[in-house]
Amino acid sequence: MARKGRDMSTPSRYEPGKPPVKLIVGGVVAVVLFFVVIAFVSSFYAVVDAGTRGVYKVFGDVADTPLEEGFHLKAPWADVENINVRQVVVEERVAAASFDLQQVQTTIAVNYYPEPGKVAQLYKKIGADNLDWERVLMRPRIAEITKAVTAKFSAENLIRQRAEAKLLITEQIKKELADSGLVVVEVSITNFDFDATFNQAIEAKQVAEQRAQQEENELKRKKIQAQQQIVEAEAKKQAQQFETDAQAYRTRISAEAEAERTKIQATAEAEAQKALAASITTTLLKWRFLEKWDGVMPKVMGGNGSILMQLGLDDDEKK
């Protein structure tokens, strides 16, 4: 029996250099199964990121209590959507009229964050994004309150009393949003923009006030200088008077001292003369004579006898 050869017209299921079809199909099936398993397993848990809260939904029904940050188990048919609860800022430019009917463009910046425990209610009523909250809750109230407060101030007082206007706007915005689920942290008035005519008037007034202030300062300076000159003149006058009084006092004291010295000296001299007069006796005079006498008798003698007899020495000796 003759052996039949292979029909060369039929392609072979395996060709050298190419992977088998079964191997390719098996690999694809394995990859698909892997992702199916991963998806199936991941459907049993949810991760709530930091700075967010998780809104738990089951077939569109939203749970009232949001999930905290971290890992949470859930039913495979449930869905968890992360809602940002970090602080954000919304800026609104509001056109309003002041008390004196000046047009004012006021730019308000409000820092706020959603209250973490109320994100589920916000999600139900408004939406999951802060843009939705700002569009529905924040911006209309900011505009309304800013217009109402601006109308209470004149254009000039809006500039002068900016802090008071900011306080009123802040209080009203916090009051309006108290039960909305949004917490207002801070309100800032970043800019007041007036029309060109008012800006020119304000600039002219500021220039006039600056000039008036300069003139007032110059007047005060001159007044102070005049007062200083008066004080200096008075001080100089007092110094001269003091010097005159001091000189007169020195002269009087010197005269009194000289008079006292003269008096004391005269008294001393008088006492000395008196003492001297009292101390001069005949015996003393004779004694002084004898101290000066050289013992030589005078060559010419009078009729009364010797000089000793004239001085009375003989009488003394006799006594």
Side-chain angles (χ1 to χ4, degrees):
M1 183 176 180
R3 184 178 180 182
K4 295 182 179 180
R6 188 177 62 177
D7 187 0
M8 300 301 295
S9 61
T10 303
S12 175
R13 298 182 63 183
Y14 174 77
E15 296 181 6
K18 292 184 179 181
V21 176
K22 289 183 178 181
L23 182 60
I24 296 175
V25 173
V28 171
V29 171
V31 171
V32 171
L33 288 176
F34 174 78
F35 282 106
V36 169
V37 171
I38 293 297
F40 179 74
V41 172
S42 63
S43 66
F44 285 91
Y45 72 89
V47 176
V48 179
D49 297 331
T52 66
R53 291 295 184 271
V55 174
Y56 192 87
K57 299 182 294 182
V58 179
F59 301 120
D61 184 23
V62 178
D64 292 333
T65 304
L67 300 179
E68 299 287 337
E69 300 171 356
F71 180 85
H72 299 273
L73 295 176
K74 68 179 185 66
W77 52 85
D79 186 25
V80 176
E81 184 171 352
N82 287 346
I83 306 297
N84 182 27
V85 293
R86 297 183 181 92
Q87 184 178 145
V88 293
V89 59
V90 55
E91 190 172 88
E92 183 74 2
R93 185 175 175 84
V94 181
S98 63
F99 182 78
D100 52 353
L101 302 181
Q102 294 290 337
Q103 294 299 315
V104 185
Q105 293 285 340
T106 306
T107 304
I108 303 292
V110 179
N111 293 69
Y112 75 97
Y113 64 89
E115 191 173 347
K118 294 184 178 181
V119 292
Q121 287 79 358
L122 286 170
Y123 183 87
K124 288 180 183 180
K125 295 178 180 179
I126 301 174
D129 191 83
N130 64 295
L131 296 178
D132 296 328
W133 306 334
E134 293 169 6
R135 176 178 53 83
V136 176
L137 293 176
M138 300 290 293
R139 295 186 185 276
R141 286 169 172 78
I142 292 173
E144 180 183 0
I145 292 170
T146 302
K147 290 179 180 179
V149 172
T150 302
K152 296 180 180 180
F153 295 84
S154 65
E156 185 175 351
N157 285 339
L158 279 174
I159 300 174
R160 296 180 181 274
Q161 301 175 3
R162 185 187 189 113
E164 184 177 348
K166 172 188 173 181
L167 180 62
L168 290 176
I169 293 174
T170 301
E171 290 176 349
Q172 290 296 320
I173 290 178
K174 286 185 176 181
K175 181 179 179 181
E176 287 291 326
L177 297 175
D179 299 326
S180 66
L182 300 178
V183 179
V184 176
V185 178
E186 184 180 4
V187 177
S188 302
I189 300 177
T190 59
N191 188 39
F192 281 129
D193 190 13
F194 303 93
D195 58 28
T197 303
F198 181 78
N199 288 333
Q200 292 174 359
I202 289 293
E203 183 177 356
K205 183 176 181 180
Q206 289 176 345
V207 171
E209 289 178 350
Q210 290 175 357
R211 289 178 179 174
Q213 186 65 40
Q214 290 175 353
E215 292 176 357
E216 183 179 356
N217 292 338
E218 181 66 17
L219 181 61
K220 289 181 179 179
R221 186 183 66 81
K222 291 181 179 179
K223 184 177 180 180
I224 292 173
Q225 287 181 346
Q227 291 175 347
Q228 289 177 344
Q229 291 175 356
I230 292 174
V231 171
E232 290 175 358
E234 185 66 25
K236 186 176 181 180
K237 180 180 178 181
Q238 291 179 357
Q240 291 176 348
Q241 183 64 38
F242 179 78
E243 181 63 25
T244 301
D245 294 343
Q247 184 63 34
Y249 179 76
R250 288 195 296 268
T251 302
R252 181 171 62 82
I253 294 300
S254 178
E256 291 177 356
E258 182 64 22
E260 185 68 19
R261 186 187 66 79
T262 302
K263 180 179 178 181
I264 293 173
Q265 184 177 1
T267 301
E269 289 179 355
E271 292 292 334
Q273 291 293 336
K274 183 178 180 181
L276 181 61
S279 64
I280 297 176
T281 61
T282 304
T283 303
L284 179 61
L285 292 174
K286 292 177 180 180
W287 177 256
R288 292 294 185 188
F289 173 77
L290 291 176
E291 284 183 343
K292 301 293 183 180
W293 185 42
D294 55 2
V296 180
M297 296 296 292
K299 294 180 180 181
V300 180
M301 299 180 62
N304 293 330
S306 67
I307 190 170
L308 296 175
M309 293 176 64
Q310 293 177 0
L311 293 174
L313 294 177
D314 293 339
D315 295 337
D316 293 338
E317 290 176 357
K318 291 178 180 180
K319 292 178 180 179

